Amino acid sequence: MSLKLPSAPNSGLFKQGYQTYASEDGAVSRNIQAVREITSMIRTSVGPCGRNKIVVNHLSKIFITSDAATILRELEIVHPAAKLVVMASQQQENEMGDATNLVLILAGELLNQADNLIRLGLHPSEIIQGYELAQKFAVDAINDLIIDEITDLTDATQVSKAVKTTLASKQFGNEDILSKLVTEAIIHVMPKKNPKQFNVDNIRVVKIMGSSIDASTVIKGMVFGREPEGSIKKVSKTKVGVFTCPIDISATETKGTVLLHNAQEMLDFTKGEEKQVEAIAKELADTGLRVVIAGAGVGELALHYLNLHGILVFKVPSKFDLRRLCRVVGATPLPRLGAPMPEELGVIDTVETIEIGGDRVTVFRQEKEISRTATIILRGATQNSLDDVERAIDDGVNVVKALTRDGKLVAGAGAIETELAEKIVQYGERTPGLLQHAIKKYGEAFEVIPRTIAENSGFDATELMSRLYAAHSKNDETSKNFGIDVEDSTENGLVDAKAAGIFDLAGAKKSAIELATEATNTILSVDQIIMAKRAGGPVMPQQGGTSGNWDQDD
């Protein structure tokens, strides 16, 4: 029997329902278009004057933010090429905690420039080779454009210098207040001997509604938005026991029946339980601990006897917070109820309940023992604004983590991108062959950052860009530091980033450029998409849509 060749392309090759998009059908252009749509959505959120987006996710939770990583995390993107750029942005968030917008915008613009080159007749392989050469040149060029370096991470002035720009890009106008809070928290938890051991988990944020952001404070310790369980509200300089099991007498796993003949037997039965609980409370008190942390429920009877022995009982329902608290006090979490061994106990300087804006909170202060921790108490009018400030603080803390690896800083405000654009275009002109077109377009793509900052700040971008290029072409010591002045405090709309204290992390820039280029090259190297048929039956439209009924025949 001879094999029948399929007459139509791919017919009989795949199961019914498969979809294929080849390069002849414009698969590369479609991929570029998909990424362009995402980046055009995020582009208006770049810079200090970037606009916020309202994102309502699948759980109907509302997010109001300009943070690209948060926006994309809550959007359910299904296009495979667009997902590649989103993954690159998420990798930047995990690695550096900042410059996620740069990855997306740069990748989108690189693909935009590549689309123009493809229309001119260049093959995607030539564009990829040109982009790779240009990326290596850009990363090396950043090393020559370093204008400052953070050498001492225990110095508040130096840490604030690096954190302030990141906070200003998310919370413009509040950067002075927030950088002071973040710096104070970082200096408290920063390991003096080895700053590379700095742990971002040692800085917590607790949001309390009310007042304004000016009322925010830093507390040296852990803060929980609840009161202790019993009547003891404050203890100092004591041992701590942490239990992941319920603080109560254990119930048997099997069912049984107890036959009681008279009232006396019933009294004796309940007294037996009481004696058992009292014995446990005395056993705990004899070890010298005065604070019990419970990871599960606390029984009424157990609480009564622990109060009698002067033991503060605090419940922490979150396993994550329980582990963090164990690290702070130096205790071992115990899955059994009983007297802890001496090495299983932790120590704490002070546990007290204080009132902040009408809310009673419990503070665990740890000045120098075991592992330091700091909590930033954020105040604000709405939950959404508090959430956005928390995201900005998270970025600021992650920047310091990146500084422990590489403390070099470059000029911000779009200055570094303008300088790179000039240098890469010049490098392209010196390169022979067809690759020079891809290299020059790679350089031109960097112009998107200062142009976008200018557009979002309400300036005439074309006029301002010509001034910016003119300032950079002078080739003196300060010319490479000129960027966009979003406050419009100068006549020509430009600012010396170094003099104004606007710095970006060199490591974050390098990482963003590498990830954006890698994502771009991956998308350009795809010439065909083969999509399987979705599992399950047909997807019915939601009831109450535009037609008023899900049944099309109705």
Side-chain angles (χ1 to χ4, degrees):
M1 180 180 172
S2 62
L3 178 67
K4 186 181 178 184
L5 291 171
S7 52
N10 296 333
S11 65
L13 187 61
F14 303 122
K15 278 177 72 176
Q16 194 176 1
Y18 265 80
Q19 292 175 303
T20 61
Y21 303 98
S23 53
E24 292 79 20
D25 305 326
V28 177
S29 298
R30 285 186 188 186
N31 291 345
I32 291 171
Q33 182 60 31
V35 176
R36 194 184 292 157
E37 284 183 25
I38 287 189
T39 52
S40 64
M41 189 194 309
I42 299 296
R43 191 173 165 180
T44 52
S45 297
V46 174
C49 300
R51 266 73 56 85
N52 287 341
K53 310 287 182 196
I54 295 180
V55 181
V56 184
N57 70 0
H58 62 288
L59 298 172
S60 297
K61 188 178 178 184
I62 298 170
F63 293 83
I64 303 175
T65 181
S66 62
D67 184 41
T70 307
I71 294 166
L72 294 172
R73 190 166 54 244
E74 299 307 323
L75 294 173
E76 294 181 12
I77 293 164
V78 294
H79 195 283
K83 272 187 174 179
L84 288 170
V85 183
V86 173
M87 281 192 278
S89 171
Q90 286 170 346
Q91 186 60 37
Q92 176 75 1
E93 174 78 0
N94 297 337
E95 195 69 26
M96 290 291 171
D98 192 27
T100 51
N101 288 20
L102 176 60
V103 176
L104 279 163
I105 306 301
L106 189 56
E109 189 61 21
L110 286 171
L111 285 168
N112 212 8
Q113 299 288 0
D115 196 25
N116 295 334
L117 290 171
I118 289 168
R119 290 176 198 278
L120 288 172
L122 260 75
H123 194 273
S125 299
E126 292 167 332
I127 299 170
I128 290 168
Q129 286 175 30
Y131 277 9
E132 284 176 352
L133 282 173
Q135 181 219 309
K136 286 175 187 170
F137 178 83
V139 171
D140 291 337
I142 287 174
N143 295 327
D144 302 329
L145 297 171
I146 298 227
I147 58 170
D148 207 339
E149 187 171 359
I150 305 295
T151 51
D152 184 9
L153 286 170
T154 56
D155 179 14
T157 311
Q158 289 196 40
V159 172
S160 180
K161 190 193 295 181
V163 168
K164 198 170 181 180
T165 307
T166 303
L167 293 171
S169 68
K170 301 285 188 298
Q171 291 289 320
F172 187 52
N174 295 326
E175 67 270 18
D176 291 325
I177 301 161
L178 292 176
S179 64
K180 190 178 176 185
L181 293 171
V182 173
T183 304
E184 187 184 338
I186 285 165
I187 297 300
H188 178 67
V189 303
M190 183 65 71
K192 296 289 185 284
K193 291 180 182 174
N194 188 6
K196 289 191 176 180
Q197 291 179 344
F198 170 70
N199 189 353
V200 292
D201 277 349
N202 288 344
I203 295 177
R204 295 180 77 243
V205 175
V206 171
K207 297 166 286 189
I208 297 175
M209 295 271 285
S211 191
S212 68
I213 200 164
D214 299 326
S216 302
T217 54
V218 174
I219 290 180
K220 294 171 181 177
M222 276 189 89
V223 178
F224 294 93
R226 57 191 298 149
E227 289 188 73
E229 301 299 310
S231 57
I232 313 296
K233 302 291 184 187
K234 182 176 180 181
V235 289
S236 300
K237 303 283 181 188
T238 184
K239 294 176 182 175
V240 183
V242 182
F243 298 94
T244 56
C245 60
I247 310 292
D248 205 351
I249 53 167
S250 55
T252 57
E253 290 183 9
T254 56
K255 290 185 178 179
T257 306
V258 178
L259 186 62
L260 302 171
H261 295 94
N262 51 46
Q264 188 59 42
E265 282 183 8
M266 187 168 183
L267 285 171
D268 292 341
F269 182 75
T270 52
K271 277 180 186 173
E273 277 191 359
E274 287 178 25
K275 284 178 183 173
Q276 192 181 344
V277 176
E278 188 180 6
I280 290 168
K282 188 175 185 307
E283 200 179 341
L284 291 173
D286 290 344
T287 60
L289 64 82
R290 288 294 172 268
V291 178
V292 166
I293 310 295
V298 181
E300 292 290 331
L301 197 59
L303 190 60
H304 167 71
Y305 283 114
L306 289 168
N307 280 338
L308 285 178
H309 286 93
I311 295 174
L312 183 146
V313 183
F314 190 76
K315 190 176 171 185
V316 182
S318 164
K319 286 186 179 179
F320 179 76
D321 279 342
L322 195 70
R323 281 197 298 269
R324 185 184 266 168
L325 189 55
C326 286
R327 197 168 65 239
V328 169
V329 300
T332 305
L334 301 172
R336 52 166 178 82
L337 189 58
M341 302 291 285
E343 62 271 15
E344 293 171 337
L345 288 168
V347 288
I348 192 77
D349 289 338
T350 311
V351 182
E352 60 180 344
T353 304
I354 59 173
E355 190 169 329
I356 300 175
D359 289 4
R360 303 278 290 173
V361 296
T362 304
V363 180
F364 285 74
R365 293 186 196 276
Q366 190 75 297
E367 293 298 335
K368 30 191 154 169
E369 294 298 321
I370 320 300
S371 166
R372 290 183 176 188
T373 190
T375 302
I376 299 171
I377 306 282
L378 280 183
R379 309 300 308 282
T382 66
Q383 192 62 43
N384 284 316
S385 67
L386 285 174
D387 288 343
D388 209 28
V389 173
E390 184 186 12
R391 281 188 281 271
I393 286 174
D394 184 53
D395 282 0
V397 173
N398 276 298
V399 160
V400 176
K401 181 65 179 172
L403 281 173
T404 60
R405 297 196 292 269
D406 183 7
K408 296 181 176 68
L409 302 175
V410 293
I416 181 79
E417 286 84 6
T418 311
E419 193 68 18
L420 282 174
E422 278 197 334
K423 285 181 179 295
I424 295 167
V425 169
Q426 288 167 11
Y427 170 62
E429 286 170 352
R430 297 194 302 267
T431 307
L434 283 172
L435 296 185
Q436 66 170 291
H437 298 294
I439 294 169
K440 283 161 76 175
K441 289 293 183 187
Y442 187 95
E444 287 171 23
F446 278 91
E447 191 187 302
V448 73
I449 300 298
R451 182 177 288 277
T452 303
I453 293 171
E455 285 172 1
N456 291 348
S457 305
F459 300 131
D460 182 346
T462 307
E463 186 185 340
L464 203 55
M465 285 307 298
S466 62
R467 284 187 205 155
L468 191 59
Y469 275 121
H472 277 257
S473 62
K474 288 177 183 174
N475 288 328
D476 57 21
E477 191 60 37
T478 58
S479 65
K480 64 181 181 182
N481 300 334
F482 276 101
I484 307 293
D485 180 15
V486 295
E487 291 178 315
D488 198 19
S489 56
T490 56
E491 286 182 19
N492 61 356
L494 304 181
V495 65
D496 184 342
K498 187 176 182 180
I502 305 168
F503 300 100
D504 284 335
L505 257 70
K509 290 285 180 196
K510 287 179 190 175
S511 174
I513 290 168
E514 286 168 358
L515 285 167
T517 311
E518 194 177 328
T520 303
N521 288 347
T522 307
I523 291 166
L524 288 174
S525 64
V526 172
D527 74 332
Q528 196 166 9
I529 301 174
I530 305 164
M531 295 177 70
K533 178 184 171 186
R534 284 192 177 185
V539 180
M540 290 290 185
Q542 291 294 315
Q543 198 165 357
T546 51
S547 62
N549 199 312
W550 60 267
D551 191 350
Q552 293 177 352
D553 297 327
D554 192 30

